[in-house]
Structures are given as structure tokens and as C-alpha cells.
Amino acid sequence: MKKVKLVLGGGSAYGLAHIGVIKAIKEQYEVSSVIGTSMGAIIGACLACGYEAEEMLDLAEDVSTLELFNPLNLDFSRSGIFDGKAILKKFEDWTDSRVIENANIPYIAVAYDLTRQASILIDKGSMADAMRASSSLPFIFSPHELGDYQFVDGGVSHPLPLAFADELPGDIIIAVNVLPHVANQAERYRANKAKAPNKLLRYDVFMQSLMQNQGFMAIQSILDLEPDILVDAHQPKLGFTDLKKAREFFDFGYEQAQGAISDHTQPDFAPKLRASYEQFLSRFIHKSR
């Protein structure tokens, strides 16, 4: 059985699809290591702690949105809306306060440090701290401070951390992208007097803008670094706040992973994958000229 180094991207609630992907992968391969950003770091940590996919799904379905975004947990330092203490406590409970050095498989969480203005690979210390650091969404949560580090979400620079896959052991790389698809064409402005259908709240404006930016960055990583298997597990029928629809994300991720793995076993998979990469890249190059 081939050993897989698993690369899990960020994507807020979309990242719950990672759980279904993991179930499908473990039916065919041995996961020997995992690296993740944001929600990918959270799911990856649970995997590294020995949780099975169904157990992770149980954890996800048990999370209360109010518990995580409670007005009692406002950040009075004004570096975020929430201080992140509640979610850190949740991570400590899930991991039983384990350290990364004692994980079942090698694990890395990718976070961005505002002090050094650089991505940081967290491969030692508290598993819960690594999860909190990697998923510290700017504006929403205050930066996670560890020593002189001020960590924010790893998706700031590496929403799909393929660039660091070589840091981990494994025979093949499977990357899982859950971010929205990025349009490769622009539309011309057409003047009109129609009103916008819905007034977006600040959170929606921020998150939709962030997701599109990170989606483009993830595509660039895929094109540049070409994983052995790519699982596109973005569920367009759900939203980034749909944390209570974990089962739907799970089912979708499982189906998408099964399809990607099945395609990989076909004899002409490698040439087709290379052709699809080149075709996609050529559209970007053409549009930028």
C-alpha cells in the first residue's frame, strides 16, 4: 500500500469536506504524514491524533457556532472581533493537550507570523496552539501570540501548502483544495440603475473577497507544484459559514476523492493531468497579456 503525504487547504466550513476525503483516501492508501492550513490544519491535527473520519465528523457536528462566536469572548485588545480562547479550549479538548512530537504521524500546521512577515511551519509544541495559530482568521480572531510570534491564518500566504510537501515523508502527494473556483475571465462593466439584490454584511464582504483571493493562490500552487493526485472538494451548493452541514460536506468530499483516486488508476492519467495543467495555465497567460 502506497504511503501518502496529505496536503489539506484552508476554506472555513468548506474544509469540512476534508473529512470525507480522508475516509476515501484511507480506503486505498496509508496516510503517512499531513500538512494543513487553517481548517486543513484543524482536520489534519485530528487525523494525526488518531481520529477516524467518522469520529471527526462527530466532533464537527457537535460544534456550536455560538460556542465559538460568543459575545462573552470578544477581543477587547481590538486586534480582532473574538479573542480565540473558546476555540483554543475546544482544540485542547479534542487533542487531549498532546504535543506534535507525540502525534501518530508527522504533522505540520502552516501559519503566518506578522512579526517576521513570513510563513511559519509549526512542527513542534502544542497541537492545539498549532491549530489555533493556523486558523486565526485576520479581523475575526485576534492573532495567536506564542513568544514573539503573532500568528494569523496560514492562508494569508499558503492557502494550499503544496510548497512544503517535501518536508514530510510519503510516496505520493495528494492535495485537497476546497476553495471556490476562480473565474478565468472578466466581464465588462454595464451601467444600470438596478439595486444590488442583497446588502452584504461586513463579514460576508470580507470572507467572499478573501476566499476568491485564496482560491487564485491555491490554483497557482497546483499549477506550479503539480501534486500526484488533486482532489477538488469545493462544494458550491453550500457556504463558508455552513458549519452545521458537516455531513453534507463529508459526503461530497468522499465522492470527489473517490473520483480523483479512480482517475489516478487509469493508465493515461499522467498525460491527461499534465495536459489539463498546461491548458489551464495557458488561459491565465493569455488573459494576462
Side-chain angles (χ1 to χ4, degrees), residues 4 26 32 59 82 124 164 172 175 183 192 217 221 238 254:
V4 167
K26 292 185 74 173
S32 60
L59 292 179
F82 300 99
K124 59 180 64 70
F164 313 117
I172 65 172
N192 66 75
M217 293 167 66
S221 293
L238 298 176
Y254 181 75

Side-chain angles (χ1 to χ4, degrees), residues 175-191:
V176 188
N177 183 37
V178 299
L179 289 162
H181 298 166
V182 180
N184 54 34
Q185 295 181 344
E187 295 183 9
R188 297 275 183 189
Y189 170 69
R190 297 176 182 177

Side-chain angles (χ1 to χ4, degrees), residues 7-10 35-37 108 110 121 158-165 221 225:
V7 180
L8 303 179
I35 182 170
T37 290
I108 296 176
V110 180
L121 305 184
H158 289 280
L160 184 63
L162 270 165
F164 313 117
S221 293
L225 301 168

